[in-house]
Amino acid sequence: MKKENSDMAGCLFMIIEIPAAWLIQSVGLMLMWGWFISPLFKVSGLGFWQSFGLTMLLAFLGNTGSSKTDTSETAYQGMIKIIAMIVIILIGWLVSLAV
């Protein structure tokens, strides 16, 4: 019974974590594009939905299939990934201030 509750909590967390990761990646791509790619190559900026579409395309192309891991381990890895994305956006922002 305890294992079932743990698996259910892990699945519910993943239902929240996956869209949150996509949103953070999309915002990060949109911001980094505007900070670095647009000025460097003189191209127009990306809107949110364009960056969201690119994020979905890259997620689809980069999907290597499902791995059979514990849901609590996967949830932990998802949290680490979200934190890493936020840190990368902050580093990009700091670099954009120096450019």
Side-chain angles (χ1 to χ4, degrees):
M1 183 74 170
K2 192 164 194 130
K3 173 87 170 138
E4 290 176 7
N5 288 341
S6 163
D7 287 344
M8 172 104 48
C11 288
L12 288 174
F13 178 76
M14 287 179 62
I15 289 171
I16 296 169
E17 182 263 330
I18 291 172
W22 286 341
L23 290 173
I24 292 170
Q25 285 178 332
S26 299
V27 169
L29 177 63
M30 180 181 67
L31 292 173
M32 298 274 192
W33 187 278
W35 291 335
F36 301 111
I37 303 298
S38 291
L40 187 62
F41 296 108
K42 306 289 188 243
V43 295
S44 61
L46 282 180
F48 174 78
W49 292 112
Q50 292 168 324
S51 64
F52 186 77
L54 279 174
T55 302
M56 294 296 99
L57 178 65
L58 293 174
F60 175 71
L61 293 175
N63 189 6
T64 59
S66 64
S67 61
K68 299 193 180 209
T69 59
D70 187 23
T71 54
S72 62
E73 181 181 324
T74 306
Y76 177 74
Q77 290 172 347
M79 281 302 297
I80 296 297
K81 186 176 180 181
I82 288 175
I83 292 168
M85 285 184 279
I86 292 171
V87 168
I88 289 170
I89 292 170
L90 289 173
I91 291 171
W93 175 68
L94 289 172
V95 170
S96 74
L97 293 176
V99 172

